[in-house]
Amino acid sequence: MNNKISYVRCGDYYIPKLTVPTTVYEIGKYGRLHRTFLKENYPCLYSSMLMQGTLLEHIADVDKTAKHRVDTLVKAMAKEQGITEELKAENQMLWVGMMNSLLHSAEEIINKELIYTRGNL
């Protein structure tokens, strides 16, 4: 069996020689949501990626992509609906409400496209 794991003999037992990845990944809200989704819905894939050391990189990539996509969508929708800095100066509460609505709409799109999907794994 060629699983690329080296073992160390301790008495009568062979113990896998496992190491912790040294790369630090910044994982935010979207990455944590995707990790939970994989863990609950695809436990074998989750465990496999965890043991191979690819899980953190994948989750960080999903998080980064989702953040970028949400920012892009919010800016595009704000421009399309005419939400400007002038509106912010005139009526801050209306502006905040409209921007929060756009953020929630963008997050719904991202959840369906990136977070709650297995993707191309």
Side-chain angles (χ1 to χ4, degrees), residues 50-80:
L50 185 62
M51 287 189 284
Q52 293 172 2
T54 59
L55 180 66
L56 291 177
E57 182 180 356
H58 170 70
I59 291 172
D61 184 45
V62 168
D63 186 66
K64 181 181 175 184
T65 303
K67 285 178 186 175
H68 182 269
R69 199 81 169 94
V70 165
D71 291 342
T72 304
L73 284 170
V74 168
K75 287 177 185 175
M77 290 190 285
K79 184 176 181 180
E80 182 179 305

Side-chain angles (χ1 to χ4, degrees), residues 8-116:
V8 176
R9 186 173 180 167
C10 289
D12 293 336
Y13 301 101
Y14 285 96
I15 299 174
K17 192 176 184 180
L18 301 175
T19 59
V20 178
T22 58
T23 307
V24 177
Y25 294 100
E26 294 292 326
I27 298 172
K29 171 185 173 183
Y30 304 113
R32 290 191 306 270
L33 289 171
H34 186 64
R35 180 189 64 205
T36 302
F37 171 77
L38 289 177
K39 189 174 185 179
E40 292 175 357
N41 295 286
Y42 298 97
C44 292
L45 176 64
Y46 175 84
S47 297
S48 175
M49 290 178 73
L50 185 62
M51 287 189 284
Q52 293 172 2
T54 59
L55 180 66
L56 291 177
E57 182 180 356
H58 170 70
I59 291 172
D61 184 45
V62 168
D63 186 66
K64 181 181 175 184
T65 303
K67 285 178 186 175
H68 182 269
R69 199 81 169 94
V70 165
D71 291 342
T72 304
L73 284 170
V74 168
K75 287 177 185 175
M77 290 190 285
K79 184 176 181 180
E80 182 179 305
Q81 293 187 13
I83 302 172
T84 61
E85 290 296 317
E86 289 81 29
L87 177 62
K88 183 178 179 181
E90 292 171 8
N91 191 342
Q92 290 180 355
M93 293 306 290
L94 176 63
W95 182 86
V96 168
M98 293 175 82
M99 290 302 286
N100 281 337
S101 177
L102 294 181
L103 177 63
H104 292 299
S105 296
E107 285 183 340
E108 284 295 319
I109 293 168
I110 294 307
N111 286 342
K112 187 174 181 178
E113 290 180 357
L114 292 172
I115 307 302
Y116 298 114

